[in-house]
Amino acid sequence: MLSKHIVERLKSIVGISRLLLSKSDLDRFGVDRTTIWQPRPCAVILPGSVEEVRQIVLVANEFNLAIVPSGGRTGLSGGAVAANGELVVAMDRLNQVLDFKPLERTVTLGAGMITVDLQTFAEQHNLFFPVDFAAAGSSQIGGNVATNAGGIKVIAYGMTRNWVLGLKVVTGSGELLDLNRGLVKNNTGYDLRHLFIGSEGTLGLICEVTIQLTRPPTESRVMVLGVSHFSAILKVLEAFSAQIDLSAFEFFSQLALEKVVAHTGCAEPLDTAAPFYALLEFEIANQDLLDQAMGIFEHIVEQGWVLDGVMSQSLSQAQSLWKLREQISEALRQWQPYKNDISVRVSSMADFIKEADQLVADRYADFELVWYGHIGDGNLHLNILKPEAMDSQDFVASCVPVSSEIGGLVARYQGSVSAEHGVGLLKKDYLHYSRSAAEIDMMRRIKKAFDPKGLLNPGKIFD
Ligand code: MLT
Ligand code: ZN
């Protein structure tokens, strides 16, 4: 509970209506897409300017008030959960385009801008913002930066980090930092901007972002291929990427497809069901490329890796095929899935998959397992579905020991226990599988430099 005095101080910064205290607001703003933790913030505040953010942080310092920065709360690792009486600072009102420089193809915007609005803005100027994922309709750019969001086009365009040219952040002690200021070239010592990208709100509140836009892609084709077994997916990837620059290479299992079909009413893409599906996309600069793609298709069918396939002939068909992949997360939500988001180097993927598949099949014999992910980036999403009759806490408790084993396997392959979802609360016990003790210690010291009182998103990434 906030004291009356603090409530008055906070209201005096943002205005009476921008400090939210009702139970429904606290419940709404206190969680992300995870279902493990209960929301329990003390209040939600909606600043309307960078200066208001700074004032809020100064008050938080005065009263030792912990802060959880909040964007679209589409995260899957509990990074935006406020379960311990924190003040949620929601960036929703900082959602304007502040500057656009066509010559540089850069745009500066408030951190609260919704990802799809940035994509639309780019399109309206005949440009392209390439970071894309299913939650783009509600995720905010500040949150994407704070988690270094990845998504479905990483194979061609990289993660959010690649597109950030500048950041305005307020640190835990209330300093305003204007980092890199949109420069392409700037070798003046440590690039602090990159520390904030992926820092999950533990170092500062991201208020403004300068984004590099690019030219839109030319016409693309999407293929969905029915793949005969798990390890053949890598062979298919190899066959295509040896000849064609792919803009996406995703995969999902038959079970994932079944759940999407049941959830959305979409049609199955192929006449013959397959254990796995690869979805790939490439730009067709000329007819030769299409011929090449067909040649590869024939080869992978001959090899027995692919059973059947379909290629989009129109934009709407391409969108329908994409839906089969993009809707998986939403389709699985009702099972409160326990999410694994792991990665290894693509060259280690075939061996890793064999071991991972065996491990989870043994350990999770009684659960439904749904595999999908951005396999072209070496990134696998393994979702364990909660049996209907099982209590949520018991379910999580039964997943924890297996997660440690998966962590051990990932460590053996020098991979990552969180490829793109961040660490938040969900993965912090497994951080040591991907980061050395020296690295974690260094991260703690970096946090101390930016947030000496430990007020920003406490307990996230590490304790
Ligand atoms: C996805 O790839 O669909 C997203 O990372 C969300 C998820 O893993 O559920
Ligand atoms: Zn993903």
Side-chain angles (χ1 to χ4, degrees):
M1 259 291 266
L2 281 182
S3 72
K4 225 174 146 210
H5 176 61
I6 302 178
V7 166
E8 289 316 314
R9 288 284 300 277
L10 292 172
K11 280 184 179 169
S12 73
I13 298 170
V14 290
I16 298 172
S17 63
R18 270 110 192 205
L19 186 77
L20 313 180
L21 295 161
S22 75
K23 173 148 174 27
S24 64
D25 284 326
L26 301 185
D27 285 351
R28 184 158 69 92
F29 282 88
V31 280
D32 55 12
R33 294 246 170 120
T34 52
T35 51
I36 301 176
W37 300 277
Q38 292 311 308
R40 212 178 57 80
C42 65
V44 178
I45 194 161
L46 293 152
S49 68
V50 180
E51 180 50 24
E52 286 183 9
V53 174
R54 217 177 63 79
Q55 294 295 332
I56 293 165
V57 173
L58 291 177
V59 169
N61 270 267
E62 207 178 313
F63 298 100
N64 279 321
L65 194 56
I67 285 176
V68 172
S70 187
R73 296 179 301 286
T74 56
L76 297 163
S77 295
V81 167
N84 295 303
E86 302 94 331
L87 174 66
V88 172
V89 180
M91 296 301 186
D92 302 37
R93 292 175 64 221
L94 301 180
N95 62 353
Q96 289 88 11
V97 169
L98 304 167
D99 189 21
F100 173 52
K101 297 203 186 320
L103 176 63
E104 303 171 356
R105 301 190 202 118
T106 60
V107 57
T108 299
L109 35 90
M113 177 169 280
I114 305 283
T115 310
V116 95
D117 292 341
L118 170 58
Q119 291 168 343
T120 307
F121 176 87
E123 249 172 67
Q124 284 163 349
H125 294 85
N126 201 22
L127 291 168
F128 183 54
F129 177 60
V131 179
D132 197 14
F133 37 80
S138 28
S139 73
Q140 295 179 3
I141 296 301
N144 298 354
V145 173
T147 54
N148 188 26
I152 53 179
K153 297 286 166 72
V154 172
I155 194 171
Y157 294 102
M159 312 270 282
T160 298
R161 182 183 301 284
N162 296 21
W163 302 93
V164 177
L165 277 186
L167 288 180
K168 244 184 213 175
V169 300
V170 173
T171 68
S173 49
E175 275 147 332
L176 175 61
L177 303 179
D178 192 358
L179 302 173
N180 198 57
R181 303 183 308 277
L183 296 171
V184 173
K185 301 183 88 172
N186 179 16
N187 281 350
T188 51
Y190 308 146
D191 192 338
L192 302 180
R193 157 189 52 157
H194 284 293
L195 273 181
F196 283 86
I197 303 171
S199 66
E200 301 186 34
T202 61
L203 302 180
L205 289 126
I206 295 167
C207 299
E208 289 177 15
V209 185
T210 299
I211 292 282
Q212 177 72 66
L213 301 173
T214 187
R215 286 192 202 288
T218 55
E219 195 190 330
S220 300
R221 289 290 161 96
V222 175
M223 285 175 110
V224 170
L225 308 171
V227 182
S228 56
H229 52 280
F230 211 159
S231 49
I233 302 168
L234 270 312
K235 297 198 185 338
V236 174
L237 171 65
E238 217 176 312
F240 274 98
S241 50
Q243 293 188 47
I244 294 180
D245 287 331
L246 297 170
S247 50
F249 191 94
E250 300 282 314
F251 91 107
F252 46 93
S253 65
Q254 169 65 19
L255 186 54
L257 177 65
E258 281 167 23
K259 303 284 188 199
V260 170
V261 168
H263 181 73
T264 60
C266 292
E268 300 253 354
L270 306 174
D271 293 338
T272 335
F276 294 96
Y277 298 86
L279 182 153
L280 53 113
E281 187 189 72
F282 53 91
E283 284 182 50
I284 41 160
N286 50 52
Q287 178 63 35
D288 289 355
L289 232 130
L290 271 182
D291 296 343
Q292 229 172 332
M294 288 317 294
I296 299 167
F297 177 69
E298 279 161 24
H299 170 70
I300 55 184
V301 170
E302 268 165 31
Q303 294 298 316
W305 302 332
V306 162
L307 307 170
D308 196 359
V310 60
M311 192 194 298
S312 65
Q313 301 301 327
S314 65
L315 183 60
S316 75
Q317 211 185 345
Q319 285 165 343
S320 304
L321 292 175
W322 262 119
K323 214 168 155 189
L324 301 173
R325 165 63 186 90
E326 291 207 275
Q327 285 296 311
I328 297 173
S329 199
E330 202 48 43
L332 299 182
R333 248 178 120 175
Q334 65 189 101
W335 284 275
Q336 300 175 26
Y338 187 88
K339 290 192 174 275
N340 291 278
D341 167 36
I342 48 187
S343 74
V344 295
R345 292 176 69 156
V346 177
S347 53
S348 309
M349 203 79 198
D351 293 336
F352 176 78
I353 280 177
K354 265 188 224 144
E355 287 201 56
D357 193 23
Q358 187 63 54
L359 189 156
V360 299
D362 289 350
R363 297 292 183 276
Y364 281 126
D366 300 332
F367 294 92
E368 273 194 309
L369 306 179
V370 186
W371 288 99
Y372 57 100
H374 321 280
I375 202 158
D377 315 324
N379 182 183
L380 299 171
H381 293 316
L382 167 63
N383 282 218
I384 324 299
L385 306 192
K386 185 180 87 56
E388 216 176 305
M390 198 167 186
D391 169 79
S392 300
Q393 298 302 325
D394 293 346
F395 171 61
V396 173
S398 64
C399 292
V400 164
V402 191
S403 286
S404 294
E405 287 186 64
I406 295 174
L409 178 65
V410 167
R412 203 146 47 70
Y413 278 85
Q414 301 197 310
S416 173
V417 291
S418 182
E420 61 168 6
H421 293 172
V423 178
L425 294 168
L426 188 66
K427 299 293 168 195
K428 70 175 171 179
D429 291 343
Y430 312 102
L431 185 62
H432 66 97
Y433 289 113
S434 294
R435 295 303 200 99
S436 69
E439 275 182 292
I440 296 171
D441 180 53
M442 198 64 80
M443 287 202 252
R444 283 205 174 91
R445 286 194 267 160
I446 289 168
K447 176 162 172 72
K448 215 154 183 88
F450 288 101
D451 178 26
K453 288 187 159 187
L455 298 178
L456 292 187
N457 226 2
K460 311 293 165 51
I461 306 182
F462 43 72
D463 285 316

